[in-house]
Amino acid sequence: MRVNWRLINAARNSYAALFAACSLYGFNLRPVDNPLEDITCYSLNSLNEPSYRDEIREATCTTIVGGPHATACPQEVARYADYVVVGEGEFTLPRLLANLEDGREGPVPGVVTWDGALPADHAVRLDAFPPFSVMKGYIEISRGCPFGCTFCQTPRIFGSVMRHRSIDTIASFARRYRDVRLVSPNALAYGSDGRRPRLGKVEKLLSSLEGKVYFGTFPNEVRPEFVTGDALELIGRFCANTRIAFGIQSGSERVLGRIGRGHTVADGIRAVELCRDHGFTPVVDLMMGFPFETGEDEEATLDLIRWVVRAGHVRLHAFIPLPGTPLAGTSPRPASARAEHLLGRLALAGKLTGSWSDPAIRFSRPPDEGRLAFDRKCTGS
Ligand code: SF4
């Protein structure tokens, strides 16, 4: 049975992880740029899904679709795909492929079809699957997030319990890279329950890695309340990055409460100041256009942006009502003319990046500073 993987840039890291997982069960996911017999697999996010819908519907081969969008809207995707993998694919995908190869009918846990669905019966233990094999990818060190930010798909896909890959496994895969980039929803939560940091675990991890390690920056940004003097001292001692990236998301306390961030604006300000004091450039993720944002809230975010860019950098994103999140189906609020003017000026000065008016830009931009767009992490922490 020939099994293909539809190459999509945004899903490169998923390809690396699932290629490695399927290899364990004897399936080789061959890269293709259109659907081919016998089976073609896709991983789609909610921004690129419309571009592949017709291709999948018209495919003559068997199609399997997973990824953030399939997890958020499985019934919708099952209207045009043969099988929809919901949530984590490392165990479910090879299990489905084995069933198809053996001609076994009947539902597979974690898979939705036009005929019905069976809930997943497992959660992946990260050490049970390599992060990559011959198809290289970033090393995912942690999965799941106990916070429930209402705009974010991560806890809805991977659950609210944080799981971690062991230090030995991470170190052995890191040896294959000169520049080591790790994936986590919050790198400074490594080894913890995701709410109470365990810096001893972070220290053990960092001290076990060789090469140039990038920690607390893409693709393992951190939460602002995890940025402490001790954490920055550790990163400074062991890592190569000069930037620390974290999301504050809004300059308005009212908005932070509505989106369930679980931290305050003051936490964000303190994180920026600590970064500066320890010689790091703070890179702050912010969002605008929440449906309940008022002119006053927008002004509070603009004030925060003006302050951050004095010593740091802002990555600003237009709010997207992602499927599967509590804010799905809401309407983004357009930025005011005053905001557009200020943001344009800061962007021209190189102080601000991102897109505050066209969400698609954030998903389709070319690689930046060695970054690869990927769909394992939906938004910055
Ligand atoms: S934005 Fe970050 S902290 Fe919030 S739910 Fe998503 S991964 Fe967790």
Side-chain angles (χ1 to χ4, degrees):
M1 186 175 76
R2 180 177 169 131
V3 186
N4 308 297
W5 177 270
R6 177 66 161 93
L7 286 175
I8 296 170
N9 192 46
R12 285 173 69 165
N13 220 56
S14 292
Y15 183 33
L18 292 174
F19 183 97
C22 287
S23 298
L24 296 179
Y25 296 87
F27 296 104
N28 178 24
L29 299 186
R30 299 171 200 224
V32 293
D33 52 18
N34 52 65
L36 294 177
E37 301 291 341
D38 301 308
I39 295 172
T40 299
C41 307
Y42 293 73
S43 177
L44 302 178
N45 65 41
S46 297
L47 269 286
N48 63 28
E49 182 267 345
S51 311
Y52 295 95
R53 205 181 290 158
D54 288 346
E55 174 181 309
I56 297 167
R57 183 182 287 118
E58 288 156 19
T60 55
C61 62
T62 298
T63 53
I64 301 175
V65 179
H69 188 77
T71 298
C73 316
Q75 271 80 19
E76 176 197 307
V77 176
R79 286 199 201 116
Y80 58 84
D82 296 307
Y83 299 94
V84 181
V85 172
V86 177
E88 304 173 306
E90 281 95 341
F91 183 64
T92 303
L93 179 58
R95 191 187 209 180
L96 171 62
L97 293 173
N99 271 25
L100 293 173
E101 188 169 52
D102 294 347
R104 266 177 278 155
E105 307 231 327
V108 173
V111 176
V112 172
T113 66
W114 181 246
D115 296 327
L118 205 56
D121 58 356
H122 67 279
V124 164
R125 188 170 60 83
L126 291 187
D127 267 356
F129 295 93
F132 61 82
S133 56
V134 290
M135 297 290 164
K136 281 174 110 183
Y138 298 133
I139 304 165
E140 187 181 20
I141 60 169
S142 306
R143 189 179 284 186
C145 178
F147 295 92
C149 306
T150 53
F151 57 84
C152 176
Q153 288 177 322
T154 297
R156 281 100 205 167
I157 297 171
F158 297 121
S160 56
V161 175
M162 214 168 181
R163 291 160 276 160
H164 307 282
R165 203 180 294 279
S166 69
I167 290 174
D168 287 349
T169 310
I170 297 168
S172 73
F173 280 91
R175 275 184 219 112
R176 304 197 202 173
Y177 284 107
R178 268 200 305 267
D179 286 0
V180 180
R181 289 197 183 257
L182 311 167
V183 171
S184 170
N186 178 9
L188 284 170
Y190 179 75
S192 78
D193 62 0
R195 288 192 180 271
R196 289 168 291 262
R198 294 179 69 188
L199 286 183
K201 289 275 184 189
V202 175
E203 180 168 9
K204 270 191 188 151
L205 169 65
L206 295 180
S207 63
S208 73
L209 301 177
E210 295 159 18
K212 287 171 81 178
V213 179
Y214 295 83
F215 197 84
T217 185
F218 181 86
N220 60 71
E221 291 92 340
V222 296
R223 281 180 55 93
E225 76 275 28
F226 281 66
V227 177
T228 60
D230 287 346
L232 294 173
E233 190 274 324
L234 269 183
I235 296 173
R237 184 146 48 104
F238 290 108
C239 304
N241 46 302
T242 55
R243 297 172 149 217
I244 300 291
F246 50 91
I248 305 179
Q249 308 306 358
S250 177
S252 158
E253 295 292 359
R254 196 186 74 86
V255 170
L256 290 184
R258 289 288 298 268
I259 60 177
R261 279 294 287 173
H263 66 70
T264 61
V265 176
D267 288 327
I269 289 173
R270 191 189 40 78
V272 168
E273 287 173 338
L274 279 168
C275 286
R276 270 190 335 218
D277 294 349
H278 286 76
F280 288 97
T281 302
V283 177
V284 176
D285 284 308
L286 286 159
M287 296 176 85
M288 279 177 55
F290 292 107
F292 36 76
E293 205 172 69
T294 63
E296 207 174 307
D297 296 323
E298 184 189 82
E299 196 50 51
T301 297
L302 295 178
D303 282 346
L304 183 62
I305 290 172
R306 285 188 198 93
W307 180 77
V308 170
V309 298
R310 281 194 227 150
H313 190 87
V314 167
R315 295 188 306 211
L316 185 64
H317 306 294
F319 159 70
I320 307 173
L322 289 170
T325 67
L327 293 179
T330 60
S331 301
R333 172 186 187 269
S336 68
R338 181 176 152 71
E340 296 270 6
H341 179 74
L342 171 72
L343 300 172
R345 200 158 48 78
L346 292 174
L348 281 176
K351 298 278 190 185
L352 175 142
T353 50
S355 169
W356 48 95
S357 53
D358 180 2
I361 293 172
R362 124 190 194 200
F363 282 82
S364 58
R365 68 185 169 197
D368 159 34
E369 296 174 19
R371 297 168 57 144
L372 296 172
F374 74 113
D375 65 4
R376 294 234 138 209
K377 184 163 184 283
C378 306
T379 59
S381 269

